[in-house]
């Protein structure tokens, strides 16, 4: 295959006629790539208003062609005010490289709630697609054809990146006439190998493993790890039957509409069939655990349009591991009461976190080894210990004592991010307004997340008075390791009485403005992992409580202790 390599990249050709430049988001970049390489054919640009309205209303472009997903370019009001129809917009990657130009045909302010109802069938912000649309999408859409200046370069796994044309050429060269696509955003285990192999064998087709590596869900296994797993699993199919290729798609999790879109995209990549499972691309409601779509809605929608799309739906047989037969069988092949074995995704994560066995009947050892590399057991993960509380509550004393005790135990590198240290070294220009305090905590969160990611321990001890910002920090860190929030709940009266720095006195006298607890709020943590009132416990006892908590969560067991 003729893949572009980083070395073959030409310097960008700058165009004179560009009215304004738009730095593209990660979502835009994925969409642009598929718009320009034919993955989204017949689209040749971001949708204009007539196509948009028609896609929402009837899943068709204005000319009647079937297309289920609005592919939109959103811009801020500020930017929209400086643009008009006929202008050329420069579409740039985050480094400023000009990837494409777009000639604007339409600019309008969409009704995003209407779009959410049409595409996702709900206004519930627990739905990730709805949350993105209503909370993180700019208010104005611009539509028009795009013209590629240069193809995006992927430095990761270039040998597995194929344009639709390259895949079609590959299939033609190999004489593959029937090709069945398997879409996934998860690591593949034995059951996935079994079901894809069976599906391909049943219809006598070749198989394309076509995982999404663009944007998936925040808690998904990262694509680097997944691709290494896919590279192992591909060797488990008979030689010359199966191909692995990566798809830089930004998923929306729109269930049936998304499934039909996936089918159209696979058709554009030369596939004749697509495997669709139960509740394809349907997210779970984080609050209730329920799905948003009927389990077979996606399958029905694709089947009903197969003649028009030219791609057939192959339904995914639910398979279970039969203990007695020592093999996977479809649920309809199971005898009544036949014992089966199952491990849920949550259970896999638990076993990885605790370093427990994942049996061979569930996954291949080489796949498990890849997952273990990026999901080490808790005893080997990094941790952030985040102490929050009023000034004078004893955060720094605890943080220092904890640091010493952890150093005595050894095992991980420790960084202390005490409120005063951070204000001196990272945030010296900041004051104590809500905005500045949040910025200060976000900086601490960023540094702590890097430390945690790299297996160290970050002990943070700022006041951090706002719940939402603490939540933000937790969300940033938890995907990389442990996050232990400790509320140092020493009452205000005690803190004020201690007044080690004389600040409370000054605050009462009005010499210091916006002083936490006196003239500024402190929102108490609702669900901290631990609460310590230093007016009731000595520092060494408090540190023991923290260590026991760490041990209880599994962070101190094994060789790390
Ligand atoms: S925040 O809200 O988390 O950004 O605060 P933080 O970075 O932890 O800084 C708190 C320390 O700054 C001193 N100080 C004040 N605290 C609260 N409010 C006001 N207005 C203020 N002005 C100065 C105070 O010494 C805090 O240190 P600690 O260690 O908490 O006593």
């Amino acid at each position: 295959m003729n893949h572009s390599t980083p070395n073959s990249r030409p310097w960008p050709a700058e165009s004179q006629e560009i009215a304004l430049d738009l730095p593209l988001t990660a979502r835009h970049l994925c969409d642009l790539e598929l718009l320009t390489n034919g993955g989204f054919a017949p689209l040749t640009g971001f949708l204009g208003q007539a196509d948009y309205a028609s896609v929402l209303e009837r899943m068709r472009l204005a000319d009647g062609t079937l297309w289920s997903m609005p592919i939109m370019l959103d811009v801020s009001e500020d930017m929209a005010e400086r643009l008009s129809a006929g202008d050329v917009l420069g579409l740039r990657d985050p480094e400023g490289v000009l990837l494409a130009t777009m000639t604007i045909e339409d600019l309008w302010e969409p009704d995003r709630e209407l779009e959410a109802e049409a595409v996702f069938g709900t206004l519930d912000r627990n739905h990730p697609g709805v949350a993105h649309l209503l909370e993180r999408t700019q208010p104005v859409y611009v539509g028009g054809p795009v013209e590629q200046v240069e193809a995006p370069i992927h430095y990761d796994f270039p040998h597995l990146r194929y344009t639709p044309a390259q895949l079609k050429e590959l299939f033609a060269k190999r004489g593959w006439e029937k090709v069945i696509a398997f879409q996934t955003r998860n690591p593949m285990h034995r059951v996935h190998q079994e079901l894809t192999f069976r599906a391909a064998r049943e219809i006598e087709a070749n198989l394309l493993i076509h995982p999404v590596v663009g944007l998936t869900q925040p808690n998904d296994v990262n694509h680097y790890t997944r691709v290494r797993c896919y590279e192992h699993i591909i060797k488990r199919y008979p030689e010359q039957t199966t191909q692995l290729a990566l798809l830089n798609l930004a998923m929306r999790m729109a269930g049936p509409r998304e499934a039909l879109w996936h089918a159209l995209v696979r058709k554009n990549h030369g596939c004749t069939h697509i495997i669709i499972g139960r509740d394809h691309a349907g997210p779970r409601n984080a609050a209730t655990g329920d799905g948003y779509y009927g389990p077979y809605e996606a399958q029905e929608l694709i089947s009903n349009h197969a003649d028009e799309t030219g791609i057939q739906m192959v339904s995914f047989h639910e398979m279970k591991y039969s203990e007695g037969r020592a093999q996977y069988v479809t649920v309809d092949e199971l005898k009544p009461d036949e014992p089966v074995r199952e491990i849920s995704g949550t259970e896999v994560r638990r076993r990885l976190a605790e370093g427990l066995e994942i049996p061979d009947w569930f996954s291949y050892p080489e796949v498990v080894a890849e997952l273990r590399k990026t999901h080490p057991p808790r005893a080997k993960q990094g941790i952030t210990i985040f102490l929050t509380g009023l000034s004078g509550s004893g955060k720094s004393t605890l943080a220092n004592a904890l640091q010493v005790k952890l150093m005595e135990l050894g095992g991980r590198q420790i960084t202390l991010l005490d409120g005063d240290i951070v204000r001196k070294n990272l945030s010296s220009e900041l004051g104590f307004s809500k905005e500045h305090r949040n910025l200060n905590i976000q900086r601490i969160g960023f540094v702590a997340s890097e430390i945690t990611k790299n297996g160290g321990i970050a002990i943070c001890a700022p006041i951090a008075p706002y719940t939402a910002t603490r939540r933000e920090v937790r969300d940033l860190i938890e995907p990389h390791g442990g996050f232990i929030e400790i509320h140092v709940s020493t009452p205000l009266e005690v803190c004020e009485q201690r007044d080690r720095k004389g600040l409370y006195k000054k605050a009462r006298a009005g010499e210091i403005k916006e002083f936490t607890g006196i003239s500024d709020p402190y929102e108490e943590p609702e669900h901290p992992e631990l609460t310590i009132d230093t007016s009731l416990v000595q520092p060494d006892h408090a540190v023991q409580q923290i260590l026991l908590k760490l041990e209880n969560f599994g962070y101190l067991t094994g060789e790390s202790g």
Side-chain angles (χ1 to χ4, degrees):
M1 296 303 320
N2 184 19
H3 292 294
S4 51
T5 63
N7 293 339
S8 67
R9 182 179 198 155
W11 287 103
E14 295 286 339
S15 164
Q16 295 306 312
E17 41 175 319
I18 290 172
L20 220 57
D21 283 313
L22 179 69
L24 298 178
T25 63
R27 158 87 68 100
H28 297 149
L29 286 167
C30 291
D31 288 351
L32 180 66
E33 179 169 339
L34 286 150
L35 282 172
T36 49
N37 74 9
F40 286 170
L43 305 194
T44 52
F46 289 97
L47 294 192
Q49 199 167 0
D51 283 329
Y52 169 72
S54 177
V55 167
L56 295 198
E57 199 191 315
R58 52 183 192 140
M59 285 201 286
R60 290 178 185 279
L61 300 172
D63 68 4
T65 312
L66 192 67
W67 187 264
S68 54
M69 190 61 66
I71 306 296
M72 311 312 301
L73 188 63
D74 54 311
V75 300
S76 65
E77 265 164 1
D78 253 16
M79 181 140 211
E81 270 165 26
R82 290 180 284 152
L83 290 170
S84 41
D87 282 348
V88 175
L89 196 57
L91 306 180
R92 293 183 184 269
D93 75 6
E95 277 83 48
V97 176
L98 183 69
L99 295 179
T101 56
M102 180 172 117
T103 308
I104 297 177
E105 286 180 350
D106 274 333
L107 261 135
W108 76 102
E109 230 173 283
D111 179 342
R112 282 181 287 155
E113 293 204 345
L114 190 91
E115 181 180 334
E117 277 289 3
V119 177
F120 302 107
T122 174
L123 290 178
D124 180 2
R125 287 165 199 245
N126 287 312
H127 185 299
V130 174
H132 184 277
L133 179 60
L134 300 184
E135 290 165 7
R136 296 189 293 279
T137 303
Q138 299 289 343
V140 182
Y141 283 162
V142 284
V146 292
E147 202 170 314
Q148 182 168 295
V149 175
E150 64 178 281
I153 299 282
H154 295 287
Y155 293 97
D156 52 335
F157 308 110
H159 59 293
L160 297 174
R161 309 257 177 187
Y162 294 85
T163 64
Q166 286 170 334
L167 265 188
K168 284 183 189 163
E169 192 192 321
L170 185 91
F171 298 157
K173 223 188 246 175
R174 294 191 188 155
W176 290 11
E177 282 169 6
K178 267 196 213 168
V179 180
I180 183 167
F182 180 64
Q183 131 93 33
T184 182
R185 46 174 255 268
N186 289 312
M188 287 174 72
H189 300 295
R190 262 189 73 173
V191 69
H192 305 104
Q193 195 277 344
E194 295 276 349
L195 78 89
T196 50
F197 180 57
R198 264 189 190 231
R201 203 177 48 191
E202 265 170 34
I203 58 160
E204 295 180 12
N206 290 98
L207 181 63
L208 175 69
I209 305 290
H210 209 197
V212 170
V213 296
L215 294 180
T216 62
Q217 295 289 285
N219 284 333
D220 287 346
V221 174
N222 74 54
H223 82 268
Y224 298 101
T225 308
R226 284 192 287 121
V227 175
R228 290 196 301 272
C229 293
Y230 304 139
E231 288 198 289
H232 289 300
I233 219 154
I234 203 83
K235 298 184 191 127
R236 296 280 179 166
Y237 294 90
E239 260 184 57
Q240 318 258 345
T241 61
T242 305
Q243 177 66 37
L244 172 62
L246 310 182
L247 181 67
N248 198 34
L249 183 89
M251 288 182 73
R252 273 67 163 169
M253 303 303 289
R257 266 194 192 243
E258 174 120 4
L260 183 57
W261 180 48
H262 288 175
L264 291 166
V265 169
R266 273 26 183 256
K267 168 75 188 164
N268 286 335
H269 283 79
C271 301
T272 53
H273 295 73
I274 180 167
I275 301 172
I276 300 287
R278 246 177 133 258
D279 201 16
H280 185 101
R284 299 266 125 200
N285 182 331
T288 64
D290 297 335
Y292 288 89
Y293 310 106
Y296 302 105
E297 262 183 71
Q299 295 187 344
E300 278 164 27
L301 190 69
I302 300 182
S303 293
N304 294 343
H305 291 91
D307 288 346
E308 201 175 345
T309 58
I311 184 161
Q312 303 283 328
M313 195 279 297
V314 175
S315 77
F316 170 130
H317 300 286
E318 200 185 333
M319 297 186 86
K320 297 222 157 66
Y321 186 74
S322 155
E323 220 173 349
R325 297 191 232 184
Q327 65 174 171
Y328 279 88
V329 290
T330 61
V331 281
D332 32 286
E333 287 165 359
L334 279 174
K335 297 197 196 85
D337 300 328
E338 185 171 342
V340 292
R341 299 183 75 180
E342 278 176 281
I343 299 183
S344 67
T346 316
E347 177 62 11
V348 173
R349 281 191 290 277
R350 187 190 75 84
R351 290 192 185 196
L352 287 171
E354 297 191 12
L356 300 171
E357 194 218 351
I358 296 178
D360 285 1
W361 65 262
F362 178 78
S363 196
Y364 299 106
E366 60 274 24
V367 169
V368 175
E370 287 300 344
L371 293 176
R372 289 204 197 279
K373 275 193 217 159
T374 34
H375 297 78
R378 289 211 182 98
K380 293 208 167 112
Q381 287 177 13
I383 326 164
T384 290
I385 300 160
F386 195 94
L387 299 139
T388 162
L390 298 170
S391 172
S393 57
K395 301 183 299 291
S396 306
T397 310
L398 284 184
N400 280 303
L402 179 65
Q403 181 183 27
V404 169
K405 200 70 202 165
L406 287 168
M407 282 167 86
E408 187 187 310
L409 290 174
R412 297 174 177 98
Q413 298 295 326
I414 304 167
T415 306
L416 185 57
L417 296 167
D418 193 16
D420 285 335
I421 302 177
V422 172
R423 288 225 166 234
K424 183 161 166 259
N425 294 291
L426 281 181
S427 295
S428 58
E429 86 287 17
L430 298 183
F432 288 89
S433 64
K434 182 171 187 184
E435 193 193 349
H436 277 192
R437 286 181 197 262
N438 284 343
L439 202 53
N440 182 40
I441 301 306
Q442 283 159 351
R443 288 178 188 173
I444 293 176
F446 171 72
V447 176
S449 77
E450 289 297 311
I451 291 167
T452 307
K453 197 194 292 177
N454 290 303
I457 298 181
I459 304 175
C460 312
I463 296 178
Y466 298 109
T467 308
T469 328
R470 292 192 302 257
R471 174 87 236 168
E472 222 178 283
V473 171
R474 181 187 283 275
D475 289 348
L476 191 67
I477 292 170
E478 271 182 346
H480 306 296
F483 184 83
I484 314 286
E485 185 177 40
I486 300 174
H487 179 202
V488 186
S489 64
T490 317
L492 177 65
E493 310 79 71
V494 178
C495 301
E496 189 166 1
Q497 205 184 1
R498 288 179 184 163
D499 206 9
R500 294 226 172 85
K501 302 179 189 164
L503 295 175
Y504 281 95
K505 195 158 170 243
K506 286 190 183 156
R508 288 284 181 201
E511 288 166 36
I512 303 179
K513 304 272 177 266
E514 299 175 314
F515 195 81
T516 308
I518 306 294
S519 43
D520 220 46
Y522 178 79
E523 298 171 3
E524 296 213 339
E526 283 162 15
H527 307 290
E529 275 71 13
L530 198 62
T531 301
I532 295 173
D533 177 345
T534 64
S535 66
L536 303 177
V537 274
Q538 292 302 310
D540 52 345
H541 287 183
V543 166
Q544 277 311 317
Q545 285 182 28
I546 301 174
L547 291 179
L548 287 175
K549 193 50 91 181
L550 291 176
E551 193 180 20
N552 177 260
F553 285 140
Y555 292 110
L556 292 189
T557 54
E559 306 95 279
S560 86

